[in-house]
Amino acid sequence: MNDFDFLTGTWDVANRWRTDFLDETSEWEEFPARSHASRHFAGGASFDEIDFPTKGFSGLTLRLFDPARQEWSLYWASRRTGTLFPPVVGRFSDGRGDFYGDDTHAGTPVRVRFVWSDITANSARWEQSFSVDGERTWVSNWVMELTRTQPLTEPDARPAT
């Protein structure tokens, strides 16, 4: 239930997203962000707020662990819409988190996949993909490379909670 403890703290985030989230041939656009995450419920909840200064918006993610189902629900909200998007649900296995849900993008129903990977004390990777064909194919459309703003010096160190 402490899977997201690694995220606690402040991060510089290198983003790249497709100019069209449903078109795998569309161009990638790169932009910076700054994120701050906190741990709650003894590791059973995680909250972060991210600011995209060159895009003029911010967002937040609430992550909640369901101990009965042994899985996480991740909820995203954007300041642009003021609404909570449908959750993606999943778990970590062997250091990788896979989370799935249903949503719409530009009026098109999509299956959403979030993947957390390459997690170290001072870096992590998040990737979003959409499928419009029942998970037969995926379009990777948003990637975040996170770097801790104040690196932890101990190999097994965790941020203070």
Side-chain angles (χ1 to χ4, degrees), residues 62-88:
L62 172 64
R63 300 169 190 85
L64 298 170
F65 185 73
D66 180 338
R69 294 175 40 188
Q70 293 290 297
E71 63 186 12
W72 289 90
S73 294
L74 285 57
Y75 300 86
W76 164 255
S78 170
R79 187 178 80 186
R80 292 184 292 189
T81 63
T83 60
L84 201 58
F85 285 66
V88 292

Side-chain angles (χ1 to χ4, degrees), residues 4 17 20 28 65 69 87 90-91 93 108 125 149 158:
F4 282 102
W17 69 15
D20 180 340
W28 287 99
F65 185 73
R69 294 175 40 188
R91 62 180 47 92
S93 179
T108 300
R125 177 186 168 91
T149 58
R158 289 202 179 257

Side-chain angles (χ1 to χ4, degrees), residues 28 40 43 47 49 53 72 80 83 93 108 116 120 122 147:
W28 287 99
H40 305 275
F47 178 86
E49 184 173 6
W72 289 90
R80 292 184 292 189
T83 60
S93 179
T108 300
W116 279 98
T120 72
N122 295 308
T147 304

Side-chain angles (χ1 to χ4, degrees), residues 70-150:
Q70 293 290 297
E71 63 186 12
W72 289 90
S73 294
L74 285 57
Y75 300 86
W76 164 255
S78 170
R79 187 178 80 186
R80 292 184 292 189
T81 63
T83 60
L84 201 58
F85 285 66
V88 292
V89 178
R91 62 180 47 92
F92 279 84
S93 179
D94 298 322
R96 175 185 158 120
D98 291 287
F99 307 90
Y100 297 86
D102 295 308
D103 202 348
T104 60
H105 178 73
T108 300
V110 295
R111 184 74 170 153
V112 180
R113 178 178 66 193
F114 289 2
V115 175
W116 279 98
S117 63
D118 302 331
I119 298 166
T120 72
N122 295 308
S123 62
R125 177 186 168 91
W126 172 86
E127 182 175 350
Q128 173 182 275
S129 301
F130 288 170
S131 176
V132 295
D133 61 8
E135 298 187 26
R136 287 188 298 278
T137 61
W138 292 94
V139 174
S140 174
N141 55 38
W142 191 350
V143 177
M144 294 183 180
E145 300 286 347
L146 292 82
T147 304
R148 191 175 297 284
T149 58
Q150 296 178 328

Side-chain angles (χ1 to χ4, degrees), residues 15-78:
N15 291 271
R16 63 186 180 102
W17 69 15
R18 292 207 181 267
T19 54
D20 180 340
F21 275 19
L22 299 177
D23 180 358
E24 66 184 16
T25 65
S26 67
E27 297 294 317
W28 287 99
E29 179 183 0
E30 297 184 1
F31 54 96
R34 171 70 60 101
S35 176
H36 181 77
S38 54
R39 177 182 185 265
H40 305 275
F41 302 159
S46 171
F47 178 86
D48 77 81
E49 184 173 6
I50 188 166
D51 181 51
F52 305 95
T54 63
K55 292 293 188 187
F57 78 95
S58 58
L60 58 87
T61 304
L62 172 64
R63 300 169 190 85
L64 298 170
F65 185 73
D66 180 338
R69 294 175 40 188
Q70 293 290 297
E71 63 186 12
W72 289 90
S73 294
L74 285 57
Y75 300 86
W76 164 255
S78 170

